[in-house]
Amino acid sequence: MNLQQLLRLPRYLGALGPPRRRWWSPSLDTIASVGSWRGQSSRSPAYWNQVVSEAEKIVGYPTSFMSLRCLLSDELSNIAMQVRKLVGTQHPLLTTASQRSLAEITELIHTALLVHRGIVNLNELQSSDGPLKDMQFGNKIAILSGDFLLANACNGLALLQNTKVVELLASALMDLVQGAYHENSTSAKETYITDDIGISTWKEKTFLSHGALLAKSCQAAMELAKHDAEVQDMAFQYGKHMAMSHKINSDLQPFIKEKTSDSMTFNLNSAPVVLHQEFLGRDLWIKQIREAQEKGILDYAKLRETIKAGKGVTSAIDLCRYHGNKALAALESFPPSEARSALENIVFAVTRFS
């Protein structure tokens, strides 16, 4: 599964149509339209790709890196100039082009942060990593490339001419940076001692680093469509819980894959591990880590089996489904449509484990 694909969700939300003003239960037609997806396992990459592909048909085409292509294409630049002539009119094309731009801006911000995270700590270089001057040059390119993408994202935001959308995306960027700071302030690798956090703290940190951008982009899509605060909040809740569900699903993969390499590592601050630690208690958890070490090197295969024998994995699956159900509940204020079904299918793709 690819978070980059999830960041296209603002476009799908934009295709939902007018929301209903009351809560209601999905019709039998709606259930039937998504039922064919629910019988498949979320572990299959082909299933995920099929769900996203079907969603893309509704909004036209994939948005991934469209802004990068636009930067290098004279033809697309000319089209953009023609569209700008519509500014100030009520032509519906304007609303669609603002939502498409928003999805691309969201992906640009996410990609820029990924590029910046690729910067190498030169103090931890090994001889096998390559010459120092090459690594230094690579870091410079990563910094400049990330800054270039962020600059273009900011320019795109300004062209939307909506101060609330700018505010939402700016605050999401601030959340991303704060989340990255928390991730980089974890315990030293060589000690294998994890942070002493509960699942509530884990949720707060995960929202900053993985949920804020998607949630606020979904809200911004509704703002561009001129929906009221209630509808915008529904979109925010969908994006938030969808992102949380996706992150937990990703954290679960090392523990639920049918074929897992013994050398496969996993994050000791991931959702299943945090829940395992919470059930077990800090002291016993530290003891298990020590027992899984051999000559100072952590045996991840041994520790993985220990965690699977506890309650952490099953609890993480339940938590993933909880956030998925919250995301589905946020969609219930919208009438049945292809866009809504696509968004529901994306939830099903990350919450089914059997």
Side-chain angles (χ1 to χ4, degrees):
M1 277 171 215
N2 191 330
L3 184 59
Q4 200 79 26
Q5 292 172 315
L6 278 184
L7 295 174
R8 303 172 194 174
L9 290 181
R11 290 188 64 214
Y12 310 149
L13 282 168
L16 279 175
R20 293 181 178 235
R21 293 299 176 185
R22 60 182 178 84
W23 291 104
W24 59 287
S25 298
S27 67
L28 291 177
D29 290 339
T30 305
I31 295 173
S33 68
V34 301
S36 59
W37 298 95
R38 301 186 68 175
Q40 304 182 49
S41 172
S42 66
R43 304 181 199 181
S44 169
Y47 172 39
W48 170 260
N49 292 332
Q50 187 178 4
V51 168
V52 174
S53 177
E54 289 298 322
E56 286 171 346
K57 292 178 183 177
I58 299 171
V59 290
Y61 59 86
T63 61
S64 285
F65 301 113
M66 272 303 299
S67 289
L68 289 177
R69 291 197 288 269
C70 284
L71 293 174
L72 305 174
S73 170
D74 291 336
E75 291 82 1
L76 288 174
S77 296
N78 289 333
I79 293 174
M81 290 179 64
Q82 299 301 319
V83 171
R84 288 193 188 104
K85 294 180 179 179
L86 296 175
V87 173
T89 71
Q90 299 299 316
H91 197 285
L93 176 61
L94 273 184
T95 301
T96 302
S98 294
Q99 290 170 345
R100 187 183 299 276
S101 296
L102 174 63
E104 294 164 5
I105 290 165
T106 302
E107 290 195 62
L108 278 178
I109 293 173
H110 176 67
T111 304
L113 267 291
L114 290 180
V115 171
H116 278 162
R117 286 184 179 185
I119 296 173
V120 176
N121 186 344
L122 298 179
N123 294 325
E124 297 179 357
L125 278 183
Q126 304 292 328
S127 57
S128 59
D129 293 332
L132 176 61
K133 63 177 183 179
D134 290 343
M135 303 303 287
Q136 289 175 328
F137 178 75
N139 277 358
K140 291 178 181 178
I141 292 298
I143 293 171
L144 291 173
S145 300
D147 289 350
F148 174 74
L149 295 177
L150 282 177
N152 279 280
C154 292
N155 182 62
L157 277 176
L159 292 176
L160 292 179
Q161 298 183 354
N162 187 306
T163 55
K164 184 173 181 180
V165 170
V166 173
E167 180 183 353
L168 283 169
L169 270 294
S171 65
L173 180 58
M174 180 178 67
D175 291 337
L176 277 171
V177 174
Q178 188 177 350
Y181 173 79
H182 285 308
E183 287 182 352
N184 292 329
S185 62
T186 54
S187 304
K189 289 182 180 179
E190 60 271 13
T191 64
Y192 299 110
I193 303 300
T194 58
D195 290 345
D196 186 12
I197 62 173
I199 195 63
S200 296
T201 303
W202 181 90
K203 284 184 177 183
E204 293 173 2
K205 293 183 177 181
T206 300
F207 173 74
L208 292 175
S209 58
H210 291 83
L213 180 59
L214 185 59
K216 293 181 179 181
S217 294
C218 290
Q219 180 180 351
M222 296 293 97
E223 162 65 22
L224 286 176
K226 304 187 185 305
H227 288 302
D228 59 26
E230 181 182 356
V231 176
Q232 290 182 33
D233 183 63
M234 289 296 114
F236 176 91
Q237 294 301 324
Y238 176 83
K240 171 187 173 181
H241 290 291
M242 181 62 238
M244 295 295 289
S245 184
H246 179 272
K247 178 61 170 66
I248 297 169
N249 181 292
S250 178
D251 285 356
L252 278 164
Q253 292 308 306
F255 302 95
I256 64 176
K257 282 185 176 179
E258 295 178 358
K259 295 182 179 180
T260 304
S261 170
D262 289 341
S263 60
M264 182 180 183
T265 63
F266 52 87
N267 190 337
L268 295 181
N269 286 314
S270 62
V273 180
V274 170
L275 285 165
H276 176 77
Q277 174 184 329
E278 197 168 64
F279 283 116
L280 198 65
R282 179 70 173 173
D283 293 338
L284 285 177
W285 169 234
I286 297 299
K287 182 181 178 181
Q288 287 185 346
I289 292 180
R290 299 302 187 196
E291 291 174 348
Q293 285 180 305
E294 295 180 6
K295 297 181 180 180
I297 299 177
L298 186 62
D299 184 344
Y300 280 93
K302 182 178 181 180
L303 186 60
R304 180 167 54 245
E305 293 305 313
T306 301
I307 294 171
K308 289 171 67 175
K311 299 179 180 179
V313 174
T314 55
S315 296
I317 290 175
D318 290 341
L319 186 61
C320 180
R321 288 170 173 163
Y322 166 80
H323 284 289
N325 288 334
K326 286 286 188 179
L328 292 174
L331 292 175
E332 290 185 357
S333 59
F334 296 93
S337 66
E338 288 185 340
R340 177 180 148 172
S341 293
L343 291 168
E344 290 171 331
N345 289 335
I346 290 174
V347 175
F348 299 144
V350 299
T351 56
R352 188 170 181 83
F353 295 92
S354 59

